[in-house]
Every structure is written in C-alpha cells, then in structure tokens.
Amino acid sequence: MIDLTGKVALVTGSSRGIGAATAIKLAEAGADLVINYASSQGPAEEIASKINKIGRKAIVLQANVANFDEAKSLIKKTKKEFGKLDILVNNAGITNDKLLLRMKEDDWDQVIDINLKGVFNTTKSAARYLMKSEAGRIINLSSVVGLMGNAGQANYAAAKAGILGLTKSTARELAVRGVTANVVAPGFIETDMTENLPENVKAEMLSNIPANRFGKVDEVANLIVFLASPLAQYINGQVINVDGGMLM
Ligand SMILES: NC(=O)c1ccc[n+]([C@@H]2O[C@H](COP(=O)([O-])OP(=O)(O)OC[C@H]3O[C@@H](n4cnc5c(N)ncnc54)[C@H](OP(=O)(O)O)[C@@H]3O)[C@@H](O)[C@H]2O)c1
C-alpha cells in the first residue's frame, strides 16, 4: 500500500491529461497538491476541487514553466503555502510538429523552452526544498520519442532526450541528500496532445504497439505515484517506459 500522507507534491501542467491524473492519484495516496497550469484555469480548479473531495488540500497556481522567474515564484508560493515540497513532477509539455525543413526557429525555441528549460527552471528552484525533505522526489516526463526520434518531432525529441541527461545529472548531484530523480517515458497515451493526430499516423503508431492499444493516463500516473513513494527509495537516475511494449 502506497502511503504519501503528509507529503506535498507539485505537478506541473496538471490541469489536463497525464498531469491531472497524476495529481489525483497522488492525492488518493494521501499527498497535498499544487495544481499548475499555463492557461486552463477552469480545468485546473476542477482538478483541485476533486482533490478536496478526496479530503486532501490543493492549491491552484498559474505559471509558465518556460519562464525562469515564473517557475521560481511557483516554487516559492508552494513553500509559502505548505512550508515544504517533497515531490516535484515535471509534466508540463507541448508539441509543435513540423518536418525539419519546415521547422522555424520559433517552433524549435518554444518546444525546447517549455519541455526542457521548464524542467531546469523548476528543478533548480525546488532543489533546496527537496533536499530538506526526508525523501525528496523528482519525476520528469520524457517520451519514447526522446529515445527513438520521430519524423516531424525534431524539437520535441531533442527536448525529451535532453530531459534524460538533465535527470541523470540531477540524480547524481542530489542522491547524497536523499533525493531521487527518475524519468517516465510514455508511449502513445490518449490525451489532448495525441487526440488530433491524423488517423493514418495513429494507425501507424498502433501497428508498432505489441499491446495493440493506446495507453491511458492512469497507467502513466500509477508509475509516477510508485516512484514518488518510499517503495522507490533505491531507484535513482532511471528511465522507465510506459508504452505497451512499443520500445524494447
Ligand atoms: N500523451 C502522450 O501520448 C505522451 C507521450 C509521451 C510523453 N508525454 C508527455 O507527458 C506530459 C503530459 O502530456 P499530456 O498528453 O498529458 O499533455 P496535455 O494533455 O496536452 O496537457 C499538457 C499540460 O501541460 C500544461 N502546460 C503546457 N504548457 C505549459 C507551460 N508553459 N507552463 C505550465 N504548464 C504548461 C497544460 O496546461 P494548460 O491546460 O493550461 O494548457 C496542460 O496541463 C508532457 O510532457 C508530454 O510531452 C505525453
């Protein structure tokens, strides 16, 4: 039984999709939550109210994680509200797919800034608080695309691959203070991010998934909750796929 009673967790991008499912599952395990969003205030507040109904505390904070000052302030407000931070889940992410020949500098910068620099921004700001936790946890969302590449996603693949190096370096630096940092790499999960992909792209993806189906947000959230728990204290610097066997 996973028990996170007394822990405080921040999940970036938890208004929707994998982040929202993760926030709810962390609360079900006993944690209090910071729900972060970029623009979806209403959905973020709905997630917080679901968490309140579970009996846990939740606050909602808007912040663009790509902006260093906003990310720093997100962490500061968390500390001010709860007095500490035990679990940081870097989930916020976007795609902006184009073939390399058509990709503009802005398309590259936007995806790298949110998906990769955003992880640096929150992790750097949170590290001192996580080190004070009895068992600090950092869980970063990458993707199988960061491990294998994907046509049309050079920016996204580069950001998600960058997360591996950032996480492993963080794991090495903070291990001595009892903080672990791990990567969760989902395959194709049914969320807003994947909903609008062309049917032929979805069919091609499906043909490469031995499980013969797309993943559910809860299937990713379950692993994140485990990694956040005391059961995972000796797991550090790892990359774990949740992809129905897509990449093995
Ligand atoms: N779905 C998949 O198949 C899949 C596969 C592999 C990896 N992943 C990764 O898993 C994570 C979650 O994906 P998802 O499918 O759940 O995405 P999603 O449904 O599109 O939700 C994205 C979340 O990130 C937030 N966000 C976007 N930009 C932000 C910013 N600049 N600052 C703060 N929050 C921001 C969004 O907030 P707003 O609601 O305010 O916009 C939203 O809560 C991402 O890192 C993604 O790359 C997903």
Side-chain angles (χ1 to χ4, degrees), residues 2-119:
I2 290 176
D3 185 5
L4 298 177
T5 306
K7 305 281 185 199
V8 173
L10 161 61
V11 183
T12 67
S14 41
S15 49
R16 297 183 279 127
I18 294 168
T22 299
I24 288 168
K25 281 200 175 277
L26 287 168
E28 284 170 349
D32 291 327
L33 262 300
V34 178
I35 304 299
N36 158 251
Y37 68 97
S39 56
S40 308
Q41 185 178 357
E45 279 168 3
E46 274 174 40
I47 299 301
S49 100
K50 279 188 186 165
I51 288 170
N52 293 152
K53 282 184 193 139
I54 295 166
R56 304 313 322 165
K57 199 169 163 190
I59 60 164
V60 176
L61 296 175
Q62 193 280 337
N64 171 10
V65 294
N67 180 301
F68 184 79
D69 291 337
E70 288 187 34
K72 192 174 171 188
S73 153
L74 172 66
I75 303 295
K76 273 197 163 175
K77 285 178 189 162
T78 301
K79 166 79 166 80
K80 196 172 172 212
E81 184 70 26
F82 291 107
K84 64 173 190 158
L85 177 62
D86 303 293
I87 299 160
L88 171 64
V89 182
N90 283 306
N91 165 81
I94 60 155
T95 51
N96 185 350
D97 300 351
K98 282 178 190 99
L99 292 172
L100 193 58
L101 288 177
R102 294 200 181 134
M103 193 174 283
K104 303 261 189 307
E105 186 183 1
D106 280 352
D107 300 324
W108 172 268
D109 287 345
Q110 181 201 30
V111 170
I112 298 289
D113 283 354
I114 294 175
N115 294 23
L116 179 58
K117 190 181 168 207
V119 179

Side-chain angles (χ1 to χ4, degrees), residues 160-240:
K160 293 303 188 184
I163 284 176
L164 309 187
L166 170 56
T167 309
K168 290 179 187 193
S169 303
T170 307
R172 287 184 187 278
E173 288 187 27
L174 302 187
V176 72
R177 308 295 291 269
V179 179
T180 67
N182 290 291
V183 172
V184 171
F188 188 113
I189 310 299
E190 289 170 340
T191 68
D192 294 346
M193 185 176 273
T194 47
E195 195 185 4
N196 294 324
L197 287 171
E199 286 308 318
N200 63 326
V201 173
K202 287 188 188 176
E204 168 68 18
M205 292 265 184
L206 193 58
S207 70
N208 289 317
I209 302 172
N212 199 32
R213 67 172 176 84
F214 299 134
K216 308 271 181 216
V217 289
D218 280 353
E219 293 175 307
V220 182
N222 284 336
L223 174 61
I224 297 172
V225 172
F226 170 72
L227 289 172
S229 79
L231 299 179
Q233 184 63 51
Y234 204 54
I235 300 173
N236 199 15
Q238 300 305 304
V239 181
I240 307 176

Side-chain angles (χ1 to χ4, degrees), residues 131-185:
M131 288 191 296
K132 285 187 185 145
S133 168
E134 274 173 22
R137 292 284 189 275
I138 300 167
I139 296 134
N140 294 332
L141 272 289
S142 178
S143 164
V144 290
V145 167
L147 297 163
M148 58 196 277
N150 195 22
Q153 292 196 306
N155 48 3
Y156 183 76
K160 293 303 188 184
I163 284 176
L164 309 187
L166 170 56
T167 309
K168 290 179 187 193
S169 303
T170 307
R172 287 184 187 278
E173 288 187 27
L174 302 187
V176 72
R177 308 295 291 269
V179 179
T180 67
N182 290 291
V183 172
V184 171

